[in-house]
């Protein structure tokens, strides 16, 4: 009685060994690090790496190590102050074309990384960083939507040669067009309904004028807001990537708000600049007489109607100064596959009036080349008298040159791309080039590394104190059985950390609260078992039978209690956000591991001590 088969002991040994191995990286800590990459996302070449290290040494900011890991060049420093000084100096020295982001890099040994063992991520409250709560300006978005329809109506009516009086915003979410004659109004109605079938049109008459009123429905407005928030999230995520932040949190909160958390970012001003930056797109015709460009880019001889631009691959192309269309007319862009050639393409959809305008222009230029120009204001560090200073520059580059095969309308495609990855990137830039709706920063919090470290210290202290009190109580009250429960408790903590590290989950303060709660619940299972054993002993059962009955009868109670708590944790995860989800994750992991250690683990040790054919005179419980 009370004897485990060998395979159960093997399962325990393997689980605990793997748990200890994958929890180990969390003991090595992190170094303040500068993460440097080129615009293409590659590490700088060897010569640049060596010159950077010499430059930092000369500036009195020595690095304690440098390495290329996972396609990124990392320079480690012994303090955050040195890291911040180095960030300004390196940005000023390398200039545009490189990204230098401050982050924290684990000191995990190479042999552990080779086994896939990495420390778990620490959240914003533990690691430090910046938190922004952004709100989409819905009122401005409503005004933009109405104004866009006003402009589209005017363009369409002019092209249709229909005489009208005024086109103006009317009441809430409506546009009113006035006419002198009823037939003109009816003709305009037929024309507008072709391109704006989603609007509700009404006729009206007053003071001898005839009016056509187009109303934007609430469903359409909700869809516009939904699309704008989603596109803003895409735009923000694209911009955050430029910061090189690991594990950023960019998620929707409610209908109109977006939460952006950037753990490890120690330059909130830089983060704010990038998040609030504005970018635009332009479609221009290529100057076919000067294509390809063979002149001197430093001194190009061009007519007044032409302008020289640089492409992303470093080549130059001459474009006409007249802009065909700007990116704010793009309603949607997505990558796809050309059904004729099997090559990658980007499908673009414009607003109705923009499609007609685009069709008219491209009809006259079939066979010519069209370029997409990306324009963005960027802030960068420059060296002025050996002192790093920040300057704002406007970046203008051609992201695509494509052939116009046929007149383009509201929906068209860009082909001739080299790869599906390039198609996806172009679609992303077209979608995320500019914010779809204005956003306001309604909440901004900066948590410094020292405060994050203080949170880690206090959280760790809470776990230690809670753990120590439980250990003392169990050892005093349940003696040998209490010591076995304490052993299971330690194992449980190791397994929780190991699972969080394996999942690369982000640990936050609520997550630590979940671990502390799990400590209490883990020992609760053993308390139930031990009390059952005591009851069996008091009822006159033999020692071996009391142990067996104690574990057997308590099992269903423990399972019920943990399953109900697990259900609550799942509900918290599904309906909660951010920190609440972190709490739910650690609690769920803790429940599963505590069941494993409290039932299987302690039973194995108790069996080794008292089980088999051992004659036990007294059970110390």
């Amino acid at each position: 009685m009370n004897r485990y088969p060998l395979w159960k002991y093997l399962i325990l040994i393997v689980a605990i060994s793997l748990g200890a191995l994958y929890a180990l990286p969390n003991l090595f800590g992190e170094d303040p690090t500068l993460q440097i990459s080129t615009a293409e996302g590659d590490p700088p070449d060897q010569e640049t790496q060596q010159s950077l290290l010499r430059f930092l040494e000369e500036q009195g900011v020595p690095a304690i190590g440098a390495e290329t890991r996972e396609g990124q060049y990392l320079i480690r420093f012994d303090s955050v102050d040195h890291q911040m000084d180095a960030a300004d100096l390196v940005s000023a020295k390398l200039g545009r074309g490189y990204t230098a982001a401050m982050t924290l890099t684990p000191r995990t040994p190479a042999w552990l990384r080779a086994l896939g063992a990495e420390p778990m991520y620490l959240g914003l409250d533990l690691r430090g960083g910046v938190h922004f709560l952004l709100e989409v300006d819905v009122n401005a978005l409503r005004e933009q939507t109405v104004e866009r329809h006003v402009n589209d109506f005017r363009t369409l009516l002019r092209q249709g040669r229909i005489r009208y009086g005024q086109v103006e915003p009317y009441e809430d979410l409506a546009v009113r067009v006035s006419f002198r004659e009823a037939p003109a109004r009816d003709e305009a109605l037929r024309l507008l309904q072709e391109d704006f079938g989603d609007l509700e049109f009404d006729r009206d008459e007053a003071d001898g004028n005839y009016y056509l009123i187009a109303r934007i429905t609430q469903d359409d407005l909700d869809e516009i807001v939904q699309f704008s928030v989603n596109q803003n999230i895409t735009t923000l995520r694209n911009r955050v990537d430029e910061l090189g932040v690991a594990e950023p949190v960019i998620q929707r909160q409610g209908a109109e708000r977006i939460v952006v958390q950037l753990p490890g970012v120690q330059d909130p001003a830089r983060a704010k600049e990038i998040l609030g930056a504005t970018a635009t797109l332009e479609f221009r015709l290529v100057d076919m007489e000067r294509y390809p460009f063979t002149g001197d880019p430093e001194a190009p001889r061009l007519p007044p109607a032409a302008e020289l631009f640089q492409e992303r691959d470093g080549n130059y192309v001459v474009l006409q100064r007249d802009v065909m269309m700007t990116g704010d007319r793009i309603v949607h862009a997505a990558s796809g596959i050309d059904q004729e050639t099997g090559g990658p393409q980007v499908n673009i959809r414009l607003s109705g009036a923009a499609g007609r305008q685009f069709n008219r222009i491209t009809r006259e230029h079939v066979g010519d080349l069209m370029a997409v120009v990306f324009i963005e204001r960027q802030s960068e560090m420059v060296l002025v008298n050996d002192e790093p200073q920040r300057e704002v520059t406007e970046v203008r580059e051609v992201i695509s040159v494509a052939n116009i095969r046929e007149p383009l309308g509201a929906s068209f495609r860009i082909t001739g791309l080299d790869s599906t990855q390039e198609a996806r990137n172009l679609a992303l830039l077209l979608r995320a080039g500019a914010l779809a709706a204005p956003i306001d920063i309604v909440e901004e919090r900066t948590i410094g590394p020292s405060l994050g470290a203080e949170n880690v210290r206090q959280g760790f202290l809470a776990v230690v104190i809670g753990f120590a009190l439980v250990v003392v109580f169990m050892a005093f009250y349940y003696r040998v059985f209490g010591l076995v429960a304490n052993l299971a408790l330690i194992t449980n903590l190791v397994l929780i950390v190991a699972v969080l590290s394996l999942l690369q989950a982000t640990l936050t303060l609520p997550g630590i609260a979940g671990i502390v709660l799990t400590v209490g619940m883990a020992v609760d299972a053993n308390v139930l078992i031990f009390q059952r054993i005591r009851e069996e002993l008091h009822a006159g059962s033999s020692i071996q039978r009391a142990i067996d009955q104690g574990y057997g009868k308590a099992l269903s109670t423990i399972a019920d209690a943990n399953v109900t708590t697990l259900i609550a944790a799942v509900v918290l995860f599904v309906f909660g956000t951010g920190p609440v989800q972190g709490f739910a994750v650690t609690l769920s992991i803790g429940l599963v591991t505590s069941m494993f250690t409290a039932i299987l683990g302690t039973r194995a040790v108790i069996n080794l001590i008292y089980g088999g054919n051992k004659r036990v005179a007294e059970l110390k419980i």
Side-chain angles (χ1 to χ4, degrees), residues 23-146:
L24 193 58
N26 296 282
L27 300 178
F28 292 96
E30 297 175 318
D31 285 327
T33 305
L34 208 56
Q35 177 181 300
I36 302 168
S37 59
T38 64
E40 292 75 26
D42 300 322
D45 56 41
Q46 287 291 331
E47 184 179 348
T48 305
Q49 294 178 13
Q50 295 302 321
S51 67
L52 276 180
L53 294 178
R54 287 195 299 271
F55 173 68
L56 291 174
E57 186 77 29
E58 292 168 0
Q59 296 294 325
V61 189
I64 61 171
E67 61 182 317
T68 300
R69 185 194 293 185
E70 298 175 355
Q72 293 172 332
Y73 182 56
L74 306 174
I75 303 179
R76 296 172 184 264
F77 300 92
D78 59 357
S79 69
V80 174
D81 290 340
H82 279 165
Q83 178 200 32
M84 297 180 74
D85 292 342
D88 289 343
L89 291 168
V90 169
S91 297
K93 181 175 177 59
L94 294 179
R96 190 155 48 86
Y98 290 87
T99 299
M102 292 184 289
T103 185
L104 299 171
T105 304
R107 302 191 196 104
T108 310
W111 67 272
L112 272 175
R113 293 203 306 270
L115 295 172
E118 296 281 357
M120 57 188 164
Y121 288 115
L122 298 182
L124 187 72
D125 46 2
L126 299 180
R127 194 180 193 188
V130 292
H131 165 100
F132 295 108
L133 180 60
L134 310 172
E135 186 174 62
V136 173
D137 190 341
V138 177
N139 290 330
L141 184 61
R142 293 161 70 104
E143 292 174 2
Q144 280 184 0
T145 303
V146 172

Side-chain angles (χ1 to χ4, degrees), residues 178-501:
S178 63
F179 301 88
R180 291 184 179 277
E181 300 172 350
R185 180 186 63 182
D186 296 339
E187 188 180 354
L189 176 60
R190 286 192 297 274
L191 182 65
L192 293 175
Q193 280 183 325
E194 290 180 5
D195 283 355
F196 300 96
D198 51 345
L199 300 181
E200 292 180 350
F201 289 93
D202 291 323
R203 295 184 178 90
D204 194 12
E205 294 179 21
D207 301 329
N209 288 322
Y210 299 88
Y211 295 101
L212 185 62
I213 300 170
R215 287 189 170 83
I216 302 168
T217 63
Q218 187 59 45
D219 289 343
D220 287 340
L221 180 64
D222 293 342
E223 187 178 344
I224 291 170
V225 172
Q226 172 95 2
F227 174 80
S228 301
V229 173
N230 290 338
Q231 185 167 337
N232 276 3
I233 289 175
T234 304
T235 304
L236 293 172
R237 192 178 300 283
N238 194 30
R239 292 177 180 179
V240 165
D241 287 344
E242 188 180 333
L243 288 169
V245 180
E247 289 294 300
V249 175
I250 304 172
Q251 61 187 20
R252 188 172 188 153
Q253 186 176 82
E256 301 158 5
R257 290 187 168 185
I258 302 170
V259 172
V260 179
Q261 292 184 345
L262 308 175
V265 169
Q266 294 139 36
D267 189 352
R270 168 77 171 145
K272 205 171 174 180
E273 281 178 7
I274 289 182
L275 293 178
T278 56
T280 57
L281 290 171
E282 290 180 355
F283 290 83
R284 297 193 187 202
L285 288 169
V286 175
D287 188 336
M288 299 304 294
E289 293 181 4
R290 296 168 182 79
Y291 184 83
F293 178 73
T294 56
D296 181 5
E298 299 296 330
R301 295 181 177 179
L302 302 176
E307 195 172 1
L308 186 66
F309 283 84
Q310 189 172 25
E311 297 182 73
R312 292 202 154 175
D313 58 5
N315 295 325
Y316 288 86
V317 60
V318 179
L319 306 182
Q320 295 184 8
R321 282 191 183 274
D322 290 341
V323 178
M324 301 167 63
M325 191 184 63
T326 54
D328 60 344
R329 300 300 181 94
I330 294 177
V331 177
H332 186 66
S335 60
I337 300 296
D338 188 343
Q339 297 298 322
E340 298 175 1
T341 64
Q345 67 178 24
V346 175
N347 302 309
I348 296 175
R349 184 155 52 89
L350 305 176
S351 60
R356 284 176 176 268
Q357 179 187 353
F358 208 49
N359 180 274
R360 181 178 55 79
I361 299 174
T362 54
R363 186 180 296 279
E364 301 167 358
H365 295 278
V366 173
D368 291 348
L369 294 174
M370 180 183 69
V372 182
V373 184
F374 183 72
I375 304 171
E376 186 172 28
R377 288 168 60 84
Q378 289 186 348
S379 171
E380 61 180 344
M381 299 298 296
V382 295
L383 283 176
V384 178
N385 298 327
D386 291 334
E387 289 293 329
Q389 294 185 7
R390 189 172 297 281
E391 279 189 3
V392 178
T393 57
E394 186 178 79
V395 179
R396 307 169 76 196
E397 59 182 358
V398 174
I399 60 175
S400 171
V401 175
N403 186 271
I404 303 174
R405 296 182 177 179
E406 57 188 16
L408 306 177
S411 297
F412 63 95
R413 57 182 179 164
I414 295 177
T415 58
L417 303 168
D418 292 334
S419 63
T420 53
Q421 182 62 45
E422 184 181 354
R424 282 197 294 269
N425 291 342
L426 177 56
L428 178 67
L429 282 174
L430 291 174
R431 287 196 310 270
L435 293 171
I439 53 175
D440 298 321
I441 298 177
V442 296
E443 183 180 317
E444 175 185 347
R445 280 183 284 148
T446 302
I447 300 176
S450 57
L451 183 57
E454 179 65 14
N455 287 338
V456 172
R457 191 189 68 78
Q458 291 183 346
F460 182 74
L461 189 63
V463 173
V464 169
I465 291 175
F467 186 83
L469 291 175
V470 171
V471 165
V472 171
F473 173 80
M474 292 299 290
F476 175 78
Y477 197 68
Y478 291 105
R479 298 193 290 176
V480 174
F481 278 73
L483 293 175
V484 174
N486 292 337
L487 185 63
L489 213 52
I490 296 172
T491 308
N492 184 37
L493 273 180
V494 172
L495 291 179
I496 291 173
V497 174
V499 174
L500 287 172
S501 303

